[in-house]
Amino acid sequence: DHGEEFSDHGHLAHYPKLPRELVDVPLVIDAPDGAAGRLDGPVGLDAVPPTLCDLLDVPVPDGWTGRSLAPAVRAGETDGTDRPVVSVTVRGESVTTQPIPRHPDEGDLLVAARTGRWTYVENAATGEERLYDRREDPGETEERLATGARPAALGRLRTAARERTARIERAVAGGGDRADADAGEGVATRLRALGYR
């Protein structure tokens, strides 16, 4: 579900930050029909359920977002759409706030949108934006907007990040989704032990 930071951006473990080493994880699919393809660009976790349904010939339930990667996997080709993949975290007063905030009312909502080349990060509370060119800067250490960089992809990245922010804000305004609100005490205890509550 996430990677680990080994002082790449000043911390150890997985604090609420969005650099690549924390959010990138490999996705390996062993398709029942023996299909074998490679997708070189990033894909979101929202692609996993429709891909599995597609590969297993099961209908995708209504309301699921994401698109199936099965056609690209079956064709054995790279998926060339380079659609932005969005990641989200909530940061408290500091990066090291414990327990780690999980709900937008517990801190600033940070939203990242990535393509194969670019990483865009926006603090939804403050409007602060950062942009990294991973082709030139694989470690995401050189913020590019401050240098005047305005790549063609910037509009798509901003739009993807802001659409996700709007979805989260609508869910929160509608009284939505505190996933652990109805969790039993055993689940709540385990979440606290892991630093999530």
Side-chain angles (χ1 to χ4, degrees):
D1 66 32
H2 57 72
E4 296 288 334
E5 181 182 356
F6 295 101
S7 292
D8 309 76
H9 289 88
H11 294 95
L12 293 171
H14 52 272
Y15 286 111
K17 298 164 60 176
L18 295 170
R20 191 172 185 180
E21 65 269 9
L22 292 177
V23 298
D24 278 7
V25 293
L27 171 63
V28 178
I29 300 170
D30 185 1
D33 60 6
R38 179 184 173 99
L39 305 170
D40 290 328
V43 297
L45 290 176
D46 62 346
V48 173
T51 300
L52 293 176
C53 288
D54 198 359
L55 290 171
L56 297 171
D57 230 3
V58 174
V60 177
D62 290 338
W64 280 12
T65 60
R67 64 192 167 87
S68 173
L69 304 172
V73 170
R74 286 188 175 119
E77 299 172 357
T78 298
D79 176 20
T81 61
D82 207 27
R83 184 176 130 181
V85 173
V86 179
S87 305
V88 177
T89 193
V90 177
R91 179 173 300 157
E93 291 179 26
S94 77
V95 172
T96 58
T97 298
Q98 291 292 327
I100 294 171
R102 300 320 258 176
H103 194 269
D105 66 6
E106 297 173 347
D108 288 356
L109 179 65
L110 304 180
V111 183
R114 285 182 172 71
T115 61
R117 178 175 181 179
W118 299 98
T119 297
Y120 170 82
V121 181
E122 183 171 0
N123 182 323
T126 67
E128 176 191 356
E129 301 175 291
R130 293 182 309 242
L131 180 70
Y132 302 97
D133 180 349
R134 289 193 319 279
R135 185 178 298 160
E136 302 294 323
D137 174 29
E140 297 176 331
T141 59
E142 299 171 21
E143 199 287 309
R144 304 289 300 185
L145 290 174
T147 67
R150 298 293 183 272
L154 181 59
R156 281 188 313 130
L157 295 165
R158 265 191 189 129
T159 297
R162 291 176 181 174
E163 284 175 356
R164 180 63 56 87
T165 298
R167 282 179 42 207
I168 291 168
E169 289 172 348
R170 284 192 303 272
V172 169
D177 193 17
R178 272 204 108 125
D180 63 339
D182 297 324
E185 186 54 36
V187 171
T189 299
R190 290 192 303 264
L191 288 170
R192 277 192 297 276
L194 293 169
Y196 292 121
R197 278 276 122 233

